Short mmCIF file of all heavy atoms in Angstrom, two decimals:
data_model
loop_
_atom_site.label_atom_id
_atom_site.label_comp_id
_atom_site.label_asym_id
_atom_site.label_seq_id
_atom_site.Cartn_x
_atom_site.Cartn_y
_atom_site.Cartn_z
N ARG A 8 -32.00 -41.39 77.92
CA ARG A 8 -32.46 -39.99 78.00
C ARG A 8 -31.75 -39.09 76.99
O ARG A 8 -32.27 -38.07 76.59
CB ARG A 8 -32.22 -39.45 79.41
CG ARG A 8 -32.94 -40.21 80.50
CD ARG A 8 -34.39 -39.79 80.58
NE ARG A 8 -35.17 -40.70 81.41
CZ ARG A 8 -36.50 -40.77 81.39
NH1 ARG A 8 -37.19 -39.98 80.59
NH2 ARG A 8 -37.13 -41.61 82.16
N ASP A 9 -30.53 -39.45 76.64
CA ASP A 9 -29.79 -38.61 75.70
C ASP A 9 -30.34 -38.74 74.28
O ASP A 9 -30.18 -37.85 73.46
CB ASP A 9 -28.30 -38.97 75.70
CG ASP A 9 -27.63 -38.52 76.99
OD1 ASP A 9 -28.16 -37.57 77.61
OD2 ASP A 9 -26.62 -39.12 77.37
N SER A 14 -40.80 -37.53 71.05
CA SER A 14 -41.68 -37.57 69.87
C SER A 14 -43.10 -37.95 70.26
O SER A 14 -44.05 -37.61 69.58
CB SER A 14 -41.16 -38.58 68.85
OG SER A 14 -41.39 -39.91 69.32
N GLY A 15 -43.23 -38.70 71.36
CA GLY A 15 -44.56 -39.12 71.79
C GLY A 15 -45.10 -40.32 71.04
O GLY A 15 -46.26 -40.70 71.22
N ASP A 29 -45.18 -32.73 81.85
CA ASP A 29 -45.38 -31.34 81.42
C ASP A 29 -44.11 -30.72 80.84
O ASP A 29 -44.17 -29.74 80.11
CB ASP A 29 -45.87 -30.49 82.61
CG ASP A 29 -47.29 -30.88 82.99
OD1 ASP A 29 -47.97 -31.53 82.16
OD2 ASP A 29 -47.73 -30.53 84.10
N ASP A 30 -42.96 -31.29 81.18
CA ASP A 30 -41.71 -30.78 80.61
C ASP A 30 -41.30 -31.56 79.37
O ASP A 30 -40.19 -31.39 78.86
CB ASP A 30 -40.60 -30.86 81.66
CG ASP A 30 -40.76 -29.77 82.71
OD1 ASP A 30 -41.31 -28.71 82.37
OD2 ASP A 30 -40.37 -30.00 83.87
N ARG A 50 -40.12 -50.80 69.06
CA ARG A 50 -39.72 -50.91 67.66
C ARG A 50 -39.95 -49.59 66.92
O ARG A 50 -39.13 -49.16 66.12
CB ARG A 50 -40.52 -52.03 66.98
CG ARG A 50 -40.04 -52.38 65.58
CD ARG A 50 -41.14 -52.98 64.71
NE ARG A 50 -42.25 -52.08 64.49
CZ ARG A 50 -42.23 -51.03 63.67
NH1 ARG A 50 -41.14 -50.75 62.99
NH2 ARG A 50 -43.28 -50.25 63.55
N PRO A 53 -38.85 -43.47 67.12
CA PRO A 53 -38.04 -42.92 66.04
C PRO A 53 -36.61 -42.62 66.45
O PRO A 53 -35.72 -42.63 65.61
CB PRO A 53 -38.79 -41.64 65.64
CG PRO A 53 -39.68 -41.32 66.76
CD PRO A 53 -39.98 -42.60 67.49
N ARG B 119 -35.64 -30.17 72.28
CA ARG B 119 -36.17 -30.37 73.64
C ARG B 119 -37.01 -29.18 74.08
O ARG B 119 -38.00 -29.36 74.77
CB ARG B 119 -35.03 -30.59 74.63
CG ARG B 119 -34.50 -31.97 74.52
CD ARG B 119 -33.78 -32.45 75.77
NE ARG B 119 -33.27 -33.76 75.45
CZ ARG B 119 -31.99 -34.00 75.16
NH1 ARG B 119 -31.10 -33.04 75.26
NH2 ARG B 119 -31.61 -35.20 74.79
N LYS B 123 -41.68 -29.69 74.28
CA LYS B 123 -42.56 -29.51 75.43
C LYS B 123 -43.93 -29.00 75.02
O LYS B 123 -44.90 -29.21 75.73
CB LYS B 123 -41.96 -28.47 76.38
CG LYS B 123 -40.77 -28.93 77.14
CD LYS B 123 -40.37 -27.80 78.08
CE LYS B 123 -39.01 -28.07 78.66
NZ LYS B 123 -38.60 -27.00 79.56
N LYS B 128 -50.31 -34.94 75.40
CA LYS B 128 -51.23 -34.42 76.43
C LYS B 128 -51.66 -32.99 76.09
O LYS B 128 -52.84 -32.66 76.15
CB LYS B 128 -50.53 -34.44 77.79
CG LYS B 128 -51.53 -34.51 78.95
CD LYS B 128 -50.87 -34.19 80.28
CE LYS B 128 -49.84 -35.22 80.68
NZ LYS B 128 -49.09 -34.81 81.88
N LYS B 375 -37.00 -43.42 61.02
CA LYS B 375 -36.41 -43.37 62.36
C LYS B 375 -35.25 -42.37 62.41
O LYS B 375 -34.53 -42.20 61.44
CB LYS B 375 -35.89 -44.75 62.74
CG LYS B 375 -37.03 -45.72 62.95
CD LYS B 375 -36.54 -46.99 63.56
CE LYS B 375 -37.72 -47.86 63.90
NZ LYS B 375 -37.29 -49.08 64.58
N GLY B 376 -35.10 -41.77 63.58
CA GLY B 376 -34.01 -40.81 63.74
C GLY B 376 -34.51 -39.56 64.42
O GLY B 376 -35.71 -39.40 64.64
N PRO B 377 -33.59 -38.66 64.75
CA PRO B 377 -33.95 -37.49 65.56
C PRO B 377 -34.81 -36.47 64.85
O PRO B 377 -35.34 -35.57 65.49
CB PRO B 377 -32.59 -36.89 65.92
CG PRO B 377 -31.66 -37.37 64.86
CD PRO B 377 -32.16 -38.72 64.47
N PHE B 379 -37.63 -37.09 63.17
CA PHE B 379 -39.03 -37.52 63.05
C PHE B 379 -39.96 -36.33 63.31
O PHE B 379 -39.74 -35.54 64.22
CB PHE B 379 -39.32 -38.64 64.06
CG PHE B 379 -40.70 -39.22 63.94
CD1 PHE B 379 -40.97 -40.21 63.01
CD2 PHE B 379 -41.73 -38.77 64.76
CE1 PHE B 379 -42.25 -40.74 62.91
CE2 PHE B 379 -43.01 -39.30 64.65
CZ PHE B 379 -43.27 -40.29 63.73
N HIS B 384 -48.51 -35.75 65.96
CA HIS B 384 -49.77 -35.90 66.70
C HIS B 384 -50.79 -34.84 66.30
O HIS B 384 -51.98 -35.11 66.18
CB HIS B 384 -49.55 -35.79 68.21
CG HIS B 384 -48.53 -36.75 68.70
ND1 HIS B 384 -48.72 -38.10 68.65
CD2 HIS B 384 -47.31 -36.55 69.22
CE1 HIS B 384 -47.64 -38.70 69.13
NE2 HIS B 384 -46.77 -37.79 69.47
#
Side-chain angles (χ1 to χ4, degrees):
Chain A
R8 300 280 168 197
D9 289 335
S14 72
D29 290 343
D30 286 330
R50 189 206 61 76
Chain B
R119 283 203 184 103
K123 287 183 192 180
K128 205 194 294 173
K375 291 191 174 184
F379 184 84
H384 305 296

